[in-house]
Amino acid sequence: MERAMKTHLKIPKMVAANFLSMLLLMDMIVSGFRFGSGVDIGLTMDYYLMSCPFAEQIVKNNVNRALQADPTLAAGLIRMHFHDCFIEGCDASVLLDSTKDNTAEKDSPANLSLRGYEVIDTAKDELEAQCPGVVSCADILAMAARDAVFWSGGPVYDIPKGRKDGRRSKIQDTINLPSPAFNASELIRMFGQHGFTAQEMVALSGAHTLGVARCSSFKPRVTAADTTADSDFLKTLSRTCSRGDNAEQAFDETRNSFDNLYYNTLLRRAGLLFSDQALFVSPRTRNIVNGYAQNQAMFFFDFQQAMVKMSALDPKDASKGEVREDCRRIN
């Protein structure tokens, strides 16, 4: 009896110890590679603690208000952050307007479906009133994407701050964005150029659990009778495209909810873009898709780590960037 009581008393201690270890691990993960490249380039979690302590809350409040009015903006904010970081690093270049002498990234065909610019503008206006010249547009965009993920039901994570805004935004640079016609090998190669593994690429692709694509992005699958797609699904896409190139089709059945349903559509051969379905077609990525389709927690875990890593892609420092007064134009 005495031995049993001692054993019984040890169990809660073991559970508590394991729980504490898990909390410490999660703190390192959610903190976003605290000991990684972010520190080396001046990005820190508490970057605005003294200079603009309410910066994060102001961004979050603006994102929440906007998404309550229009939940579809979540997908736009997340993709805007992705399209920003893959061109010249995370420097808000995608937010710059075109001028008479330059056509900017946002006017590229690859970016015409991006939405949510006004959310960034509103947050920036409020931040300039509170802390003029302090919070960069690049940081606002990164925080807004993070908050959009959480608002839509996705994982919570934090990101380091301190990015500066770039001064270059050219339409020709958007050739470096992944094409919806890419196969898995091409996606692995392009993401690999930015330091991502195949697993991280598949995890980031899961952002397609939100939002829609236009017919112009998937019409070639219909006209070529793509053999990687389910025949009934191709008929659905054909009906969508009968309404024109701007007609929209959701990536999955829960277009405004962040979940793992995207991966389950790939198992049913109903991936919207060729580049989506390619993740299941390729033996190099199929097992990753299967894993995420079966285990949403694992997808969330990998996604948050990949997003933190992406948010730290080639940020500008003070010598190469600035803090814009207006996110749509350089100072």
Side-chain angles (χ1 to χ4, degrees):
M1 171 72 81
E2 183 179 354
R3 181 181 299 175
M5 289 182 65
K6 288 180 178 179
T7 303
H8 178 72
L9 289 172
K10 287 179 181 178
I11 293 174
K13 293 181 180 179
M14 292 171 61
V15 172
N18 289 337
F19 182 67
L20 179 59
S21 297
M22 181 60 69
L23 285 179
L24 291 172
L25 175 63
M26 289 303 295
D27 179 65
M28 290 174 63
I29 293 168
V30 173
S31 293
F33 303 107
R34 190 184 304 274
F35 306 108
S37 60
V39 174
D40 297 335
I41 50 181
L43 302 187
T44 61
M45 293 297 171
D46 57 356
Y47 188 84
Y48 296 113
L49 181 63
M50 301 302 294
S51 58
C52 194
F54 299 109
E56 302 231 21
Q57 194 60 49
I58 288 172
V59 173
K60 183 175 292 186
N61 289 345
N62 277 278
V63 169
N64 289 350
R65 280 196 299 268
L67 297 186
Q68 285 167 4
D70 183 1
T72 67
L73 286 175
L77 289 170
I78 297 166
R79 281 178 205 147
M80 195 187 301
H81 178 44
F82 172 84
H83 284 214
D84 177 42
C85 292
F86 259 56
I87 308 296
E88 294 285 314
C90 303
D91 65 350
S93 57
V94 74
L95 301 179
L96 287 171
D97 284 341
S98 295
T99 65
K100 63 179 181 179
D101 301 317
N102 178 65
T103 304
E105 292 172 29
K106 66 167 54 173
D107 289 321
S108 164
N111 285 333
L112 292 181
S113 62
L114 297 184
R115 302 170 59 236
Y117 295 104
E118 67 281 2
V119 180
I120 307 301
D121 291 338
T122 303
K124 178 62 173 176
D125 289 344
E126 189 171 340
L127 286 164
E128 283 298 301
Q130 292 276 342
C131 321
V134 173
V135 184
S136 69
C137 300
D139 274 349
I140 296 171
L141 180 51
M143 289 187 281
R146 174 203 61 190
D147 296 339
V149 169
F150 181 64
W151 191 93
S152 303
V156 59
Y157 60 93
D158 199 4
I159 53 171
K161 275 74 68 177
R163 300 160 190 79
K164 295 297 184 286
D165 300 322
R167 301 184 181 95
R168 174 191 172 94
S169 181
K170 294 186 177 295
I171 187 172
Q172 59 264 34
D173 292 344
T174 60
I175 194 173
N176 295 313
L177 291 171
S179 164
F182 273 5
N183 61 33
S185 295
E186 291 169 317
L187 289 170
I188 290 171
R189 176 186 56 78
M190 176 166 280
F191 277 74
Q193 291 172 348
H194 293 281
F196 293 104
T197 65
Q199 178 113 17
E200 289 167 334
M201 179 272 289
V202 177
L204 288 172
S205 297
H208 279 179
T209 187
L210 296 176
V212 300
R214 296 181 180 182
C215 170
S216 56
S217 296
F218 56 78
K219 184 165 64 173
R221 304 189 69 196
V222 178
T223 56
D226 185 351
T227 57
T228 66
D230 175 77
S231 57
D232 289 336
F233 182 63
L234 281 181
K235 292 175 183 176
T236 298
L237 298 187
S238 180
R239 287 193 294 271
T240 299
C241 286
S242 68
R243 303 195 301 270
D245 281 357
N246 288 328
E248 296 176 338
Q249 178 76 29
F251 283 96
D252 65 34
E253 292 90 336
T254 56
R255 58 174 288 183
N256 295 325
S257 296
F258 198 100
D259 51 36
N260 68 334
L261 193 56
Y262 163 78
Y263 298 104
N264 285 277
T265 66
L266 305 187
L267 269 59
R268 301 195 308 269
R269 297 172 61 215
L272 184 54
L273 305 179
F274 180 84
S275 57
D276 292 321
Q277 195 60 49
L279 301 179
F280 186 67
V281 171
S282 172
R284 300 175 68 182
T285 51
R286 184 181 301 137
N287 287 340
I288 305 172
V289 170
N290 278 324
Y292 291 157
Q294 296 169 18
N295 191 331
Q296 180 169 281
M298 182 171 67
F299 162 50
F300 279 16
F301 185 84
D302 289 351
F303 179 83
Q304 68 184 18
Q305 291 186 82
M307 283 294 284
V308 172
K309 182 174 178 177
M310 187 185 76
S311 77
L313 279 180
D314 302 321
K316 303 289 187 298
D317 59 22
S319 67
K320 297 180 180 178
E322 62 186 13
V323 175
R324 292 183 210 139
E325 296 178 9
D326 182 336
C327 290
R328 293 175 178 263
R329 53 188 59 86
I330 61 175
N331 292 341

